[in-house]
């Protein structure tokens, strides 16, 4: 096939001859110079030829030229052809496109990008489709915390706020006050008060486990209780049980905080209250018994009552075999 045929504008004739004689090299050359002025049927026929000869990238390019966007996306998925940002823009519908088709096409591009791990591009296309929930799911997959926080803020949708808060809670929020603040803000704006209650509960546990700060833990559990009281859980019985459990734990924390507060003024009474507290059956749901023993052992050692201190150490070992 003479390349002069293409130069004289007889593209269709040149292609027909190339197909008739199965001249693959000629087809490669002719189609490399094609543009949207060639008929869609001709472009689709060329694309089919390249598909049959496993030239998938070339086939996709031709389908895009033919404006057969959904077919092009199908090939990208089936044959693992990466969707570049440029290709996504080329496939994207114009402003004049019929709204429903535009939505479907943007969503399909987003789904293809998701499957290929192009999460930021997927986010953009789902947003253009008007589907912010799917856009957020794509963004969460990317793990781009800064953009997730920004997107939740501008979307102003309850479900998106909650999705962002759930994601942030999986990060190391203990060491980042800004992330903690965003979790509380997003759960509050998302009206997910049961989830916010659970987060405050987790904060209380951190205060106990890492800092032995029972005052702060009591404050966090009190916030958890406030949230649970205001929550609108579907299972009313489960909500009531959580409320009662929080109340009981707060009561136990108060007893230990009180025992420690009066220590300077009345060490003997402080020890009595601590000893009584150790007999509470559900103590370890709120207060670590090892912390109470530590508090008491330290006191008796400081007044040189080593026998009592030793007795408490042995009691602690018996109660918590793994305590060191």
């Amino acid at each position: 096939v003479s390349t002069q045929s293409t130069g004289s504008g007889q593209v269709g004739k040149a292609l027909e001859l190339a197909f008739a004689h199965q001249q693959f090299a000629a087809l490669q050359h002719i189609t490399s110079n094609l543009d949207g002025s060639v008929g869609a049927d001709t472009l689709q026929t060329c694309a089919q030829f390249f598909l049959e000869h496993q030239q998938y990238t070339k086939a996709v390019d031709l389908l895009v030229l033919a404006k057969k966007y959904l077919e092009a996306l199908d090939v990208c998925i089936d044959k693992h052809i990466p969707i570049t940002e440029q290709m996504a823009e080329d496939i994207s519908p114009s402003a004049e496109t019929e709204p429903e088709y535009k939505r479907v096409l943007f969503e399909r591009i987003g789904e293809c990008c998701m499957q290929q791990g192009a999460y930021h591009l997927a986010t953009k296309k789902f947003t253009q489709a008007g589907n912010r929930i799917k856009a957020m799911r794509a963004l969460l997959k990317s793990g781009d915390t800064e953009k997730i926080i920004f997107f939740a803020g501008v979307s102003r949708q309850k479900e998106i706020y909650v999705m962002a808060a759930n994601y942030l809670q999986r990060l190391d929020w203990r060491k980042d006050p800004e992330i903690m603040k965003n979790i509380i803000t997003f759960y509050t704006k998302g009206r997910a008060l049961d989830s916010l209650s659970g987060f405050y509960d987790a904060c209380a546990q951190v205060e106990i486990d890492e800092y032995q700060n029972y005052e702060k833990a009591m404050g966090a559990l009190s916030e958890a209780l406030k949230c649970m009281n205001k929550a609108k859980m579907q299972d009313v019985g489960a909500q009531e049980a959580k409320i009662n459990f929080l109340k009981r734990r707060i009561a136990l924390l108060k007893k230990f905080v009180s025992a420690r507060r009066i220590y300077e003024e009345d060490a003997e009474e402080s020890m009595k209250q601590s000893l009584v507290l150790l007999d509470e059956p559900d103590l370890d749901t709120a207060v670590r018994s090892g912390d109470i023993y530590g508090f008491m052992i330290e006191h008796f050692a400081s007044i040189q009552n080593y026998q009592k201190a030793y007795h408490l150490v042995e009691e602690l070992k018996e109660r918590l075999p793994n305590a060191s």
Side-chain angles (χ1 to χ4, degrees):
V1 177
S2 168
T3 56
Q4 288 179 341
S5 302
T6 61
S8 60
Q10 299 175 349
V11 176
K13 183 66 176 171
L15 287 169
E16 281 177 28
L17 286 168
F19 280 127
H21 297 283
Q22 291 287 295
Q23 292 193 22
F24 191 66
L27 270 170
Q28 285 271 30
H29 177 73
I30 297 166
T31 55
S32 67
N33 297 310
L34 291 180
D35 58 29
S37 64
V38 179
D41 289 345
T42 301
L43 291 168
Q44 207 163 1
T45 303
C46 294
Q48 189 57 42
F49 176 83
F50 284 110
L51 281 174
E52 289 167 3
H53 290 81
Q54 300 179 354
Q55 298 288 309
Y56 303 123
T57 303
K58 187 69 181 171
V60 168
D61 290 342
L62 291 168
L63 286 168
V64 171
L65 269 179
K67 293 184 166 47
K68 299 293 181 182
Y69 300 137
L70 293 173
E71 290 91 329
L73 289 168
D74 287 339
V75 175
C76 288
I77 289 297
D78 293 343
K79 305 303 178 185
H80 308 291
I81 306 301
I83 297 174
T84 63
E85 193 148 359
Q86 185 56 54
M87 187 194 296
E89 290 309 309
D90 290 343
I91 294 173
S92 294
S94 65
E96 297 77 36
T97 307
E98 190 270 320
E100 181 57 20
Y101 177 71
K102 187 191 289 188
R103 184 193 64 76
V104 169
L105 187 53
F106 274 133
E107 284 226 5
R108 184 71 177 129
I109 299 169
E111 284 160 5
C112 291
C113 292
M114 273 287 275
Q115 286 190 38
Q116 295 186 357
Y119 300 123
H120 284 105
L121 197 49
T123 299
K124 182 179 178 181
K125 294 303 160 187
F126 284 134
T127 303
Q128 287 174 314
N131 193 330
R132 285 185 171 269
I133 299 295
K134 280 190 176 180
M136 185 53 146
R137 285 185 189 134
L139 204 48
L140 292 172
K141 286 267 190 185
S142 77
D144 190 331
T145 301
E146 194 175 326
K147 286 189 178 175
I148 288 165
I149 291 170
F150 175 79
F151 191 79
V154 297
S155 295
R156 297 183 178 182
Q157 281 181 236
K158 279 196 266 184
E159 192 173 344
I160 289 175
Y161 281 133
V162 174
M163 289 165 76
N166 289 344
Y167 163 81
L168 293 173
Q169 212 176 335
R170 294 196 294 271
L171 305 182
D172 192 4
W173 51 266
R174 297 159 186 80
K175 295 176 182 173
D176 193 329
E178 195 59 31
I179 289 179
M180 277 186 72
K181 183 178 146 192
N182 278 312
I183 292 170
I184 293 166
T185 299
F186 290 158
Y187 275 142
T188 303
K189 287 184 175 179
R191 296 180 188 171
L193 294 178
D194 51 338
S195 296
L196 183 55
S197 175
F199 179 64
Y200 277 125
D201 198 332
C203 291
Q205 205 55 51
V206 168
E207 292 297 341
I208 291 169
D209 293 343
E210 295 187 17
Y211 308 109
Q212 288 79 55
N213 191 329
Y214 283 89
E215 288 85 353
K216 276 194 176 181
M218 191 165 68
L221 273 194
S222 296
E223 289 299 321
L225 179 59
K226 281 182 200 171
C227 293
M228 190 52 67
N229 275 321
K230 291 179 187 174
K232 294 177 181 176
M233 290 175 62
Q234 288 185 331
D235 189 336
V236 178
Q239 183 173 350
E240 197 59 40
K242 287 183 177 184
I243 288 170
N244 291 332
F245 187 49
L246 284 166
K247 284 179 178 176
R248 174 60 181 154
R249 289 163 67 206
I250 290 168
L252 290 168
L253 284 173
K254 276 182 180 174
K255 288 180 180 180
F256 186 41
V257 168
S258 172
R260 295 208 301 190
R261 276 181 184 162
I262 64 168
Y263 178 74
E264 293 299 327
E265 293 177 9
D266 193 342
E268 189 177 343
E269 178 59 26
S270 175
M271 289 303 106
K272 280 181 185 175
Q273 288 184 17
S274 298
L275 199 59
V276 169
L277 190 53
L278 283 170
D279 288 331
E280 295 282 0
D282 51 353
L283 174 68
D284 284 292
T285 61
V287 182
R288 299 195 308 186
S289 52
D291 288 343
I292 300 176
Y293 276 108
F295 174 55
M296 295 176 72
I297 290 164
E298 190 177 343
H299 163 70
F300 286 112
S302 71
I303 62 171
Q304 298 183 350
N305 188 340
Y306 299 118
Q307 186 176 352
K308 181 65 176 174
Y310 177 75
H311 171 73
L312 287 167
V313 169
E314 291 302 306
E315 198 176 297
L316 173 60
K317 284 181 181 176
E318 191 176 320
R319 184 165 177 151
L320 302 172
N322 296 324
S324 54

